Every structure is written in C-alpha cells, then in structure tokens.
Amino acid sequence: MSAEPAPLPAHHVLILGGTTEARRLAQALAPDPSCRVTTSLAGRVASPVLPPGETRIGGFGGIAGLAAWIVEHDVTRVVDATHPFAERMSFHAAEAQALTGVPLLALRRPGWTARPGDDWTFVDSLEEAADRLPGLGSRAFLTTGRMGLHTFAHLTGTWFLVRSVDPPEAPVPPRLEVLLARGPFTLDDEQELIARHRIDVLVTKDSGGSATAPKLTAAREAGIPVLVVRRPAVPQGVPEADSVEEALNWLGVAPEDGAHVGWET
C-alpha cells in the first residue's frame, strides 16, 4: 500500500527580505509543517546569506508583477521585512496588498537614538549628507552602502573609508579605500578601524538594529561627529511590528519555537 501524500501547507508566507529580522522570521516559521515560507531577496548582494525555506532572488516587475506572484503562488500573508531604506519595495507591497487583499505586515526595526555625548547631525538624504560633510571632517567613514556612493563622487577634498559586502562600482570618490566586510561588527573592531584610519567623521543611515550599532558607540567615544540620514517615508495604513516576536504574534505562531498555534483568518 502506498503512503498517503503529505498534506499541503495551509498557509504561504511571503517575506520580502534582506535583513536580519527577515532571516530570523524565516527560521521561526520553518519548523511549522502547516506553513510554506518564501523569502524574496533583491539580489543586490552577490552571495547573500540564505534563510531556511524557499528563496527567490530578483525583482517582481513592479506592483502588478508582485500582485500576480502573490495570487499565482497562493500567498496568504506578506511580511515586508526589507531594509528601512528600501522604500520603493515597501510602497509596492502596500499597493499589491490593495490589489490582492492579502494581509500585509511591515516588520521595521526601531531607529537609533542618540545618547549623551553623541554629536549627531540629521539630514534627509545622501545628497544633503554630501553637502554637509566637508564642514564636519576630512577623513570620513562612509557606511551608507555602495549603491549611493556616486553621491559623494564629486568630493575631491575628503578621504573616504567605505565598507560594503561587495565592491562598489564607478563613479566613486577619487580618494577612497574600500573595506569588504559583512556585519555584525564589534565595538573593538570599530574602535580599531577609526583609530587606524584617523577617521574624523562618520556618515551612516538610520538603519537601526544591533549588527552595525557599535560604530556609533565608537564614534561617541572617539569624540567625532556623525552624519545620520533619516529614514524615508513609509506607506500609511500598513500595520507594523518592531520585532520578530511581534511579527510571529501577528501571524499566529508561537515565538518561542515556531510551533503552529492556530493561524488567524
């Protein structure tokens, strides 16, 4: 007698990923046999750390393409766990939710908060950061990602240390040293980096999270200013969670072990 086929998962969660939180969410959902989980990655990193479950890499082809994929693959929940600065994908997810009716949650880690002794200057864009930078220092530790490096390419008087997972592409600033590395980074790492390269200003995005936060402590202890790019606007009306545990509660899954406890409809 042939074995009975395994029952199909009752739910399919699409995680729009690329963050530590997205990977942790997939890890929590993977043990649940009633759930199929797919993590979508933008493909901007050559060798991403893949989460458990299914993965797809590359864009959907805009709002209509994302909505079509959700319907075609019987997605029952969507979690937008993209980087806080991946604003286009967040708006696409909100528009796709309006087209499909499939529930959407935004998983957004809290931003960083200045502490006593911090010398932070907030700006609204990389362009504004590039305008303000020459007045704050001449040796910059630039941690805003390789995709926006062209914004600083015209600054000939500033020496840059740029850290990224993959090498940046031109145009880039003429005085540039690239450090290929993937977080998390320790406080000792950041202190040594700032001292060795004589950094006198840090430029970063308000990404939040703990993986790259030690650079802020190192900057405070070194007494150097920090240019912080504010987060972009997010779609209105989308429910939010600021932790993986909150996201699991929204999904109806026990946070402690990922066990199925009854999905809400």
Side-chain angles (χ1 to χ4, degrees), residues 88-113:
R88 179 179 297 181
M89 190 69 244
S90 293
F91 279 94
H92 283 191
E95 293 290 344
Q97 192 279 329
L99 291 174
T100 63
V102 174
L104 168 67
L105 175 75
L107 173 53
R108 297 194 177 98
R109 67 180 76 147
W112 289 315
T113 301

Side-chain angles (χ1 to χ4, degrees), residues 17-27 51 81 107 109 183-184 209-211 244:
T19 59
T20 301
E21 291 77 16
R23 190 163 57 253
R24 285 186 55 215
L25 182 60
Q27 289 170 342
L107 173 53
R109 67 180 76 147
S210 60
V244 172

Side-chain angles (χ1 to χ4, degrees), residues 16 63 66 80 82-98 104-108 231-241:
L16 305 175
I63 297 166
L66 174 57
D80 172 17
T82 54
H83 192 275
F85 284 81
E87 67 269 28
R88 179 179 297 181
M89 190 69 244
S90 293
F91 279 94
H92 283 191
E95 293 290 344
Q97 192 279 329
L104 168 67
L105 175 75
L107 173 53
R108 297 194 177 98
R231 294 183 176 188
V234 297
Q236 299 299 306
V238 177
E240 295 188 14

Side-chain angles (χ1 to χ4, degrees), residues 146-151 153 167-173 176 178:
R146 65 187 177 90
M147 304 302 291
L149 193 52
H150 64 277
T151 310
E169 298 179 357
V172 297
L176 173 70
V178 177

Side-chain angles (χ1 to χ4, degrees), residues 69-171:
W69 198 96
I70 289 171
V71 172
E72 179 183 352
H73 293 83
D74 298 317
V75 173
T76 58
R77 298 286 191 279
V78 179
V79 179
D80 172 17
T82 54
H83 192 275
F85 284 81
E87 67 269 28
R88 179 179 297 181
M89 190 69 244
S90 293
F91 279 94
H92 283 191
E95 293 290 344
Q97 192 279 329
L99 291 174
T100 63
V102 174
L104 168 67
L105 175 75
L107 173 53
R108 297 194 177 98
R109 67 180 76 147
W112 289 315
T113 301
R115 298 183 181 182
D118 283 326
D119 180 9
W120 290 9
T121 298
F122 283 91
V123 293
D124 291 322
S125 65
L126 289 177
E127 288 77 12
E128 187 178 353
D131 289 341
R132 299 288 296 273
L133 180 56
L136 293 175
S138 60
R139 297 183 65 83
F141 184 15
L142 185 62
T143 65
T144 56
R146 65 187 177 90
M147 304 302 291
L149 193 52
H150 64 277
T151 310
F152 300 86
H154 65 286
L155 296 179
T156 59
T158 305
W159 181 89
F160 288 92
L161 175 65
V162 171
R163 182 168 62 197
S164 65
V165 176
D166 295 317
E169 298 179 357

Side-chain angles (χ1 to χ4, degrees), residues 11-44:
H11 291 277
H12 184 188
V13 178
L14 172 62
I15 301 173
L16 305 175
T19 59
T20 301
E21 291 77 16
R23 190 163 57 253
R24 285 186 55 215
L25 182 60
Q27 289 170 342
L29 293 174
D32 186 351
S34 71
C35 175
R36 173 187 174 193
V37 57
T38 302
T39 300
S40 175
L41 302 174
R44 293 182 176 177

